[in-house]
Amino acid sequence: MMPTKTSAAGEPAGCRELVCYARGFALKVCPDPIPPAEGRTRLMTDPVTTPDPAEQQQKIDTSVPHSARIWNYWLGGKDNYPVDEAAGDAYTEVFPGIVTIARSSRAFLRRNIAYLVSEAGVRQFLDVGTGLPTAQNTHEVAQRLAPEARIVYVDNDPMVLAHARALLTSTEEGATAYIDADVTDPERILEAAARTLDLGRPTALILSNILGHVADHEQARSIVGRLMDALPSGSYLSVNDGSRGVDPVFEQAQDAYNSSGAVPYNLRSIDEITAFFDGLELVEPGVVSVTQWRPEDGPGAPEVVAEHGGLARKP
């Protein structure tokens, strides 16, 4: 999800401050290219009807930076423009660690999915707060290992919607769908997801860098609980979010941003992130810095970053 607020006086008419759901980065952008339609589902099984490139270009303003495209740039993706690269580079001059956090978060998710498919036998995924598609998307990782895997993405940002149909495809054996909905409405998400997923079978719920946008911790826990309550035994929960207690510079930068009046992204303690898994069976090594969750072989110990996450099974 991509929260917004009204632009300050003196800015171009119709422009808004748009906040990166993944890390609380604010940018000024022009009006939404596509009006939202909550609950809309777009199914993307092969063959996929891709929008005309000229039509897509008209809907997306490339003259101003967009936070989803900047996140894509930090991840090494190609769905961004020079204006996004310039804004991303300006941010990294202030906090260079954001690139490491972004890429470590994506690598954590990839390893989670590989475990779920190869070791846990999961074939259904509900990815809430997916953001702009980039490399190593959930469906790409899952269907490469199990072509019959079925994936539902959920987001309510018009920019994500504009790119999703063009970039998200599926194997013939599986399915990939997109739901235009908000994380704070679990019932709507579940109702729409049931059109693609069999929610009577084990399903992996993915909440990557999204719960930080729910300010109240108990409300965030309630959202997780309501979603997991609808899934059967053998389902899994994957969560990762920005954490406190690791990087004081990052915390100071984020706290300053949150106090500026913009829509905040709330860093949480490791204990608070761990609480999202209450009642579930954590997969080893538990809740750790995302770089330390089942890391791939390499020289030296993984760098600890201010992003913690874990994976747990519903008994």
Side-chain angles (χ1 to χ4, degrees):
M1 56 186 296
M2 193 80 64
T4 57
K5 59 176 284 187
T6 305
S7 298
E11 293 170 354
C15 286
R16 304 176 301 159
E17 183 174 71
L18 194 132
V19 183
C20 178
Y21 77 87
R23 193 56 62 219
F25 181 36
L27 293 168
K28 303 299 179 184
V29 300
C30 291
D32 289 334
I34 304 174
E38 276 193 32
R40 177 171 47 198
T41 302
R42 294 174 182 258
L43 185 63
M44 287 159 278
T45 50
D46 274 346
V48 176
T49 302
T50 303
D52 180 75
E55 179 185 355
Q56 284 289 95
Q57 191 69 22
Q58 291 175 359
K59 294 177 179 177
I60 301 174
D61 188 346
T62 62
S63 67
V64 293
H66 188 287
S67 56
R69 296 198 307 254
I70 293 173
W71 191 252
N72 176 271
Y73 171 56
W74 285 333
L75 287 173
K78 298 181 179 179
D79 292 290
N80 50 73
Y81 301 92
V83 66
D84 306 305
E85 296 179 13
D89 290 342
Y91 189 95
T92 58
E93 288 181 6
V94 178
F95 180 63
I98 188 63
V99 175
T100 299
I101 288 176
R103 297 185 181 185
S104 298
S105 172
R106 175 63 56 153
F108 164 84
L109 179 58
R110 174 176 51 78
R111 296 194 304 273
N112 264 213
I113 297 167
Y115 171 90
L116 287 164
V117 175
S118 299
E119 299 190 40
V122 173
R123 295 294 184 269
Q124 299 193 131
F125 297 83
L126 178 56
D127 188 341
V128 181
T130 180
L132 188 64
T134 184
Q136 300 291 315
N137 298 293
T138 297
H139 75 287
E140 293 172 327
V141 178
Q143 292 183 342
R144 182 165 59 244
L145 297 169
E148 71 276 19
R150 304 177 73 83
I151 297 90
V152 170
Y153 291 102
V154 182
D155 210 302
N156 70 343
D157 174 31
M159 177 64 69
V160 176
L161 176 62
H163 280 269
R165 190 167 176 81
L167 298 181
L168 299 181
T169 59
S170 173
T171 59
E172 292 183 2
E173 302 94 327
T176 305
Y178 178 92
I179 297 172
D180 187 3
D182 193 289
V183 67
T184 59
D185 194 351
E187 286 71 29
R188 180 185 293 274
I189 290 172
L190 292 164
E191 178 184 3
R195 300 168 195 160
T196 303
L197 306 178
D198 178 356
L199 298 183
R201 296 175 53 209
T203 301
L205 171 63
I206 297 171
L207 298 168
S208 181
N209 292 110
I210 186 66
L211 294 174
H213 279 300
V214 183
D216 184 83
H217 185 237
E218 289 307 312
Q219 182 187 6
R221 291 184 64 189
S222 174
I223 290 169
V224 174
R226 286 151 65 191
L227 288 168
M228 287 303 297
D229 283 349
L231 303 180
S233 173
S235 293
Y236 283 79
L237 171 66
S238 172
V239 172
N240 63 287
D241 262 308
S243 53
R244 292 191 176 276
V246 176
D247 190 334
V249 176
F250 176 49
E251 292 175 24
Q252 291 169 10
Q254 191 63 41
D255 290 344
Y257 170 79
N258 287 350
S259 64
S260 70
V263 177
Y265 178 90
N266 301 279
L267 303 180
R268 290 196 162 100
S269 70
I270 298 171
D271 286 344
E272 288 176 320
I273 295 173
T274 302
F276 291 130
F277 298 99
D278 283 355
L280 305 177
E281 301 168 345
L282 278 165
V283 174
E284 291 294 333
V287 176
V288 294
S289 177
V290 291
T291 54
Q292 297 183 321
W293 196 91
R294 296 179 176 244
E296 295 165 345
D297 293 336
E303 175 187 2
V304 174
V305 299
E307 175 103 8
H308 278 68
L311 179 70
R313 180 183 184 276
K314 182 174 180 178

